[in-house]
Amino acid sequence: MSSKKEREPRVERRLRSAIADRLGMTRRSVTLPRDFQGLARGEHLALIYCDGNKVGDFITTAVGHGVGPDTIAPAINNGTIDAVAEALVEMHREIPAMPIRAVPHILGGDDVQITVPASAAWAFTRHLLKSFSSRVPAEVGKDLAKGRGLPDISMSAGVVFFHRSTPMRDVLDLAEGQLRHAKQHVRGREASVAYLDIPADGQEAPPTRRPYRIDDLDKWSELLDEVASIPPAQRATLLDLVRSNRHTEARARARWAGHTCIDELESMEPAALDIRDQLEIARWWSQ
């Protein structure tokens, strides 16, 4: 074994610097775990696999607006790292009990593969996809003349919740499949996310589950906070009823218990969220 101190990867160093800047700290005071052992106290984690949508079109337009071709790739890379840092900080602010914990696997260009504690995954993913849409154009276009704006850019994500004993190769393959599903759902036109919960779903998501637009998740977020606050035993009972196609009974029980959030989400326009989807999302949704 070498006695030399292992060098920190440059991208991880850059990520820690970006986090430190947002917290008003020094880079040395920001630490990230090197493996899953230090990532979470519990046994469940989430891999988030992200990729930008229609990035080639964005680059073509940027060049046409006067951005130097040699500067675009580094700018996209910097914007993506900034978006990840911002998402980690916002995740912590949204869930104060959750320290900034993540294991980045790939942060390059518009590609992100990162593992976070399962209970932080929804907050992190929502913030990352929104931040990417603002950070990348700001970084790419910072030297453009005023009025020479860039087109919108978005990112989609595949999220897989898993027990940390699950083979990582399997998790990665499943996350890649969820990412494709998310992109296909919106035809690469806007930020979207698809997910799989291996402990609850196995290797395949229920056929009724669809990917979600990130804008819809934001609209649902306060009501999903309420669904997630339903005691776990009650949520499990309701979910068992729904999975047995006893939807009417499940809704009646929810109303009797005063959980009006379920009816509100199912009747929200223009995008409603089915009771089963609500209860399944709530498993890892932190309020």
Side-chain angles (χ1 to χ4, degrees):
M1 182 180 293
S2 172
S3 61
K4 292 183 179 179
K5 185 177 179 181
E6 183 181 350
R7 279 190 80 182
E8 178 183 34
R10 186 175 63 85
V11 68
E12 188 172 316
R13 190 165 62 250
R14 170 76 174 81
L15 177 60
R16 289 198 301 113
S17 294
I19 293 170
D21 288 345
R22 284 160 176 76
L23 296 175
M25 301 165 63
T26 63
R27 189 183 72 203
R28 288 187 177 183
S29 62
V30 176
T31 60
L32 294 174
R34 286 301 184 91
D35 53 36
F36 292 167
Q37 189 71 29
L39 183 56
R41 293 176 184 174
E43 299 293 326
H44 291 96
L45 306 169
L47 173 68
I48 298 98
Y49 189 159
C50 307
D51 184 56
N53 294 319
K54 298 186 178 297
V55 174
D57 293 346
F58 176 84
I59 290 173
T60 298
T61 303
V63 171
H65 282 2
V67 178
D70 294 340
T71 67
I72 291 180
I76 291 176
N77 191 65
N78 289 337
T80 299
I81 292 174
D82 283 345
V84 171
E86 187 168 284
L88 287 169
V89 171
E90 290 304 315
M91 172 190 80
H92 170 63
R93 288 173 176 159
E94 188 171 312
I95 315 170
M98 177 66 64
I100 294 177
R101 288 287 181 268
V103 174
H105 309 293
I106 293 177
L107 293 177
D110 60 309
D111 296 321
V112 175
Q113 291 177 22
I114 189 168
T115 297
V116 300
S119 57
W122 283 114
F124 172 79
T125 304
R126 287 169 50 222
H127 286 300
L128 173 59
L129 268 55
K130 288 185 291 184
S131 184
F132 178 86
S133 295
S134 59
R135 289 290 171 184
V136 168
E139 188 70 24
V140 172
K142 64 183 179 182
D143 295 327
L144 287 179
K146 188 175 180 180
R148 299 284 285 174
L150 294 172
D152 292 337
I153 188 171
S154 65
M155 172 178 270
S156 290
V159 179
V160 172
F161 297 92
F162 64 100
H163 188 279
R164 64 182 182 185
S165 64
T166 309
M168 201 58 192
R169 182 69 256 175
D170 293 347
V171 175
L172 183 60
D173 288 345
L174 291 167
E176 187 175 13
Q178 291 302 309
L179 172 59
R180 280 197 304 271
H181 192 28
K183 283 178 165 286
Q184 290 166 357
H185 183 69
V186 296
R187 298 181 182 179
R189 293 174 180 167
E190 56 188 313
S192 59
V193 57
Y195 82 98
L196 177 72
D197 184 350
I198 294 176
D201 302 329
Q203 300 282 308
E204 190 172 343
T208 56
R209 184 182 297 161
R210 70 187 192 281
Y212 307 114
R213 298 168 59 251
I214 209 67
D215 288 347
D216 289 335
L217 277 174
D218 282 345
K219 292 172 188 173
W220 299 330
S221 62
E222 289 187 9
L223 289 171
L224 281 170
D225 286 348
E226 295 183 35
V227 177
S229 71
I230 298 173
Q234 290 186 33
R235 278 194 278 112
T237 298
L238 295 174
L239 192 50
D240 285 342
L241 290 171
V242 170
R243 286 172 174 166
S244 301
N245 291 318
R246 296 158 68 185
H247 293 71
T248 301
E249 183 179 348
R251 292 183 180 102
R253 285 202 184 196
R255 291 183 197 116
W256 179 83
H259 304 312
T260 57
C261 49
I262 288 177
D263 278 342
E264 291 182 60
L265 275 167
E266 285 206 296
S267 60
M268 187 174 283
E269 294 294 342
L273 189 62
D274 179 78
I275 183 172
R276 176 168 180 167
D277 289 333
Q278 297 177 38
L279 294 167
E280 290 177 336
I281 289 175
R283 175 172 152 85
W284 296 116
W285 187 277
S286 292
Q287 78 283 356

